Amino acid sequence: MKLYSDEELAEILDQNIFHQISDAADRLGLECYVVGGYVRDIFLERPSNDIDVVVVGSGISVAEELKQIVGRKAHLSVFRNFGTAQVKFREKGVEYEVEFVGARKESYSHDSRKPIVEDGTLEDDQNRRDFTINAMAICLNKDRFGQLVDPFNGLADLEDGIIATPLEPDITFSDDPLRMMRCVRFATQLNFQIEDETWNALVRMADRITIVSGERIKDELNKIILAPHPSLGFDYLQRSGLLQIIFPELSALDIVDQKNGRTHKNNFYHTLEVLENVVKAAPNPSWEDSGMGLWLRWAAIMHDIGKTKSKRWDPAVGWTFHNHNNIGAKMVPQIFRRLSLPLDMKMKYVQKLVELHMRPIAIADEEVTDSAVRRLMNDAGDDIDDLMTLCEADITSKNEVRKKLFLENFRMVREKLTDLKEKDYKRLLQPVIDGNEIMDLFHLKPSREVGVLKQFLKDAVLDNKVENEREPLMQLLMEKAKQMKLI
């Protein structure tokens, strides 16, 4: 980060947009400040075009005045019920989004996040902010332009890498429990430490998270997952007690059982290691990615989610987790539903990767055969590269010899996959004789017999028993039909 004097801040804000806001506020005789994340990011030297402005008085009136100054290119949205307004416009190739709100003070009831709001001073408004690093303000009025107002030493906390609340943390978290998730999110995104009193309050108040909607929790979780090192956030969530409430299936993996002197690895911390390995493989995720982004990270988080339900003790081999991939895949929809995650192709993508994540490992643990790779390619389809990335990330063994062997076999699997792709794998893996033709040939309606014949041909193609060509497949089909007494 970098420290700036008020004069230097005035130079940084010496932009047309801030002078226009300043003019709008001065015309109305109102105090006006840029606040929150925009101010924080100035010191962190992070670019931002989302500007939050607090007005001591009517934020809406300053927004309307700014609209008049900027002219027709500005789009004004007013939300009178909330006392806020938004101005959006584009200038010199830059998109600006300015949020205006009147300074206010808030009070809360115990069972709701919705505050009782009253007009207030700048001090009142800064008191209600979530963290000291987000409570800083810079004056935009002409006579004090660039002056930093920092009543809670947020700048010092920013310099020390600390997340702390402006008021007593119990009050801050009780008033709005979502701030507990935001606390973890900021600590994760910025790689900051949570201040001791703030952390202790987080632990004490964890059960207050139950009044927050799944939608809001999901938004914060996704921001944690998209951070450079998301495992930091999940460790905070687990140790604070928040994870047990919002994502109990993942929290339940944090246990190591012992029997007859045998233990198994801690599957929670193994999951975090896999997540970090995926991040290394895809360091710049996008919200829109269906593959190497947010949803691949979700697949890493959920890949072993079925291990708690599948864990068994076998005296011959010790602890086992047979079928945990299929059990986990069945758990994915209910978890997505509870966390308000999308129940569309993104969910199906995560479910597929959870279900299939053991397949490449099983192949790599034995001889890498063409047949096994063809079947894997058929089942994974267009998501095969993401599946391989997840499976390679899942190799966290501390036995370097075994790890090297797995990764070498994975390399061979990838080579065979590349070869299949070059040969147009979709055409190679789908029999040229389809179900409609089978029904026509044997005068069948959709039935179990049709399914048996289709699968028979598909197995023959996947196992490379015959070329995927009409004549040899027709010969096989007729032989099978005779066995089934269809001809």
Side-chain angles (χ1 to χ4, degrees):
M1 68 165 286
K2 190 169 182 179
L3 298 177
Y4 298 101
S5 66
D6 288 354
E7 292 76 16
E8 289 171 322
L9 290 174
E11 289 182 18
I12 291 170
L13 297 180
D14 186 17
Q15 304 172 43
N16 197 36
I17 175 65
F18 292 111
H19 290 300
Q20 290 171 322
I21 297 170
S22 178
D23 288 344
D26 284 345
R27 286 182 187 182
L28 298 171
L30 296 173
E31 287 182 52
C32 182
Y33 302 84
V34 59
V35 298
Y38 191 90
V39 178
R40 179 197 69 226
D41 287 346
I42 286 175
F43 294 101
L44 291 176
E45 300 181 273
R46 301 198 309 183
S48 176
N49 293 323
D50 293 338
I51 303 166
D52 290 325
V53 174
V54 165
V55 177
V56 182
S58 170
I60 292 174
S61 63
V62 176
E64 290 172 337
E65 189 68 24
L66 177 64
K67 161 69 175 170
Q68 293 298 317
I69 292 172
V70 174
R72 294 175 59 185
K73 64 182 177 182
H75 176 74
L76 171 67
S77 302
V78 176
F79 310 97
R80 295 197 183 276
N81 289 344
F82 300 98
T84 64
Q86 181 188 77
V87 178
K88 287 185 178 181
F89 64 97
R90 184 180 182 87
E91 187 171 80
K92 295 181 179 179
V94 179
E95 293 280 354
Y96 290 103
E97 187 173 304
V98 188
E99 300 274 353
F100 290 87
V101 64
R104 60 194 186 184
K105 54 184 176 181
E106 298 175 342
S107 57
Y108 292 79
S109 62
H110 187 74
D111 59 350
S112 174
R113 287 184 58 241
K114 294 181 179 178
I116 300 167
V117 179
E118 303 173 72
D119 291 341
T121 64
L122 175 65
E123 182 182 4
D124 291 327
D125 201 88
Q126 288 176 301
N127 283 341
R128 74 179 182 83
R129 298 280 162 176
D130 50 9
F131 307 109
T132 61
I133 63 172
N134 295 333
M136 297 181 288
I138 301 174
C139 187
L140 295 179
N141 296 101
K142 194 170 186 178
D143 60 344
R144 294 169 53 214
F145 192 83
Q147 185 179 105
L148 178 67
V149 183
D150 183 17
F152 305 109
N153 295 315
L155 196 54
D157 286 346
L158 203 58
E159 192 173 14
D160 292 338
I162 289 173
I163 305 294
T165 58
L167 303 178
E168 289 292 325
D170 290 76
I171 296 172
T172 298
F173 292 148
S174 181
D175 282 351
D176 184 356
L178 183 65
R179 289 169 177 163
M180 294 188 288
M181 293 293 298
R182 287 170 59 83
C183 178
V184 171
R185 188 248 292 182
F186 281 119
T188 307
Q189 287 178 326
L190 301 175
N191 196 17
F192 279 18
Q193 296 294 312
I194 300 174
E195 181 263 339
D196 287 346
E197 287 186 20
T198 303
W199 172 256
N200 292 335
L202 195 68
V203 175
R204 283 194 301 271
M205 307 297 292
D207 61 352
R208 288 280 288 152
I209 200 68
T210 55
I211 72 167
V212 180
S213 72
E215 186 74 23
R216 300 304 298 276
I217 290 171
K218 174 261 293 181
D219 289 343
E220 294 300 324
L221 263 182
N222 280 339
K223 289 173 184 176
I224 290 168
I225 292 168
L226 288 169
H229 294 287
S231 64
L232 299 174
F234 280 96
D235 184 50
Y236 277 133
L237 291 173
Q238 176 68 352
R239 291 191 292 113
S240 67
L242 285 167
L243 197 66
Q244 291 90 320
I245 299 167
I246 64 174
F247 198 168
E249 300 88 347
L250 180 60
S251 176
L253 295 176
D254 187 11
I255 188 171
V256 177
D257 286 319
Q258 182 173 10
K259 191 165 184 176
N260 295 349
R262 291 188 178 184
T263 61
H264 59 79
K265 66 186 173 190
N266 185 307
N267 287 305
F268 175 74
Y269 286 101
H270 162 72
T271 295
L272 298 192
E273 194 174 350
V274 174
L275 177 58
E276 287 295 322
N277 287 342
V278 164
V279 171
K280 288 177 190 172
N284 296 305
S286 161
W287 283 92
E288 302 305 321
D289 264 349
S290 62
M292 299 290 273
L294 176 64
W295 306 106
L296 180 55
R297 294 187 184 197
W298 266 109
I301 289 163
M302 300 185 75
H303 81 285
D304 277 350
I305 208 77
K307 280 194 170 179
T308 303
K309 290 185 177 182
S310 65
K311 182 164 62 179
R312 299 289 184 272
W313 169 256
D314 182 338
V317 296
W319 294 101
T320 66
F321 302 93
H322 293 312
N323 208 36
H324 74 272
N325 53 314
N326 292 314
I327 293 170
K330 290 177 182 177
M331 294 168 67
V332 169
Q334 65 195 53
I335 293 171
F336 265 55
R337 190 172 293 110
R338 192 185 68 245
L339 291 175
S340 300
L341 290 162
L343 302 177
D344 56 11
M345 294 308 295
K346 297 180 180 72
M347 184 271 287
K348 292 183 183 298
Y349 165 88
V350 172
Q351 189 175 31
K352 180 199 284 190
L353 263 59
V354 171
E355 182 179 356
L356 294 179
H357 81 271
M358 294 299 292
R359 287 273 294 281
I361 293 173
I363 293 172
D365 204 18
E366 300 170 359
E367 182 183 355
V368 181
T369 65
D370 288 349
S371 174
V373 172
R374 290 165 75 94
R375 285 183 174 275
L376 178 65
M377 174 76 92
N378 176 74
D379 293 342
D382 292 336
D383 300 318
I384 185 65
D385 289 331
D386 294 352
L387 177 63
M388 291 300 296
T389 297
L390 173 61
C391 292
E392 286 167 351
D394 197 18
I395 305 303
T396 62
S397 173
K398 300 303 180 277
N399 183 328
E400 290 301 322
V401 174
R402 180 169 171 76
K403 186 174 182 178
K404 186 176 180 181
L405 177 63
F406 264 113
L407 293 177
E408 174 60 22
N409 281 1
F410 273 135
R411 186 189 62 77
M412 294 170 61
V413 172
R414 280 193 180 274
E415 284 182 358
K416 290 181 181 292
L417 289 170
T418 299
D419 186 52
L420 267 177
K421 284 182 183 179
E422 288 175 352
K423 293 177 180 176
D424 187 5
Y425 75 93
K426 289 183 179 179
R427 182 185 61 78
L428 285 172
L429 301 182
Q430 297 300 321
V432 295
I433 300 173
D434 63 14
N436 290 326
E437 187 170 358
I438 289 171
M439 287 189 286
D440 289 342
L441 280 169
F442 304 113
H443 308 292
L444 294 172
K445 292 182 178 180
S447 59
R448 186 189 69 84
E449 286 83 0
V450 176
V452 169
L453 291 171
K454 280 178 63 180
Q455 191 60 49
F456 175 73
L457 293 184
K458 188 158 195 172
D459 288 341
V461 170
L462 293 176
D463 292 335
N464 208 20
K465 290 180 179 177
V466 294
E467 290 296 318
N468 189 9
E469 295 173 358
R470 186 172 187 76
E471 187 175 333
L473 279 179
M474 187 62 74
Q475 185 177 339
L476 275 181
L477 178 62
M478 291 301 174
E479 290 173 3
K480 184 66 175 177
K482 285 179 183 177
Q483 292 175 14
M484 295 173 63
K485 299 182 178 177
L486 295 175
I487 54 175

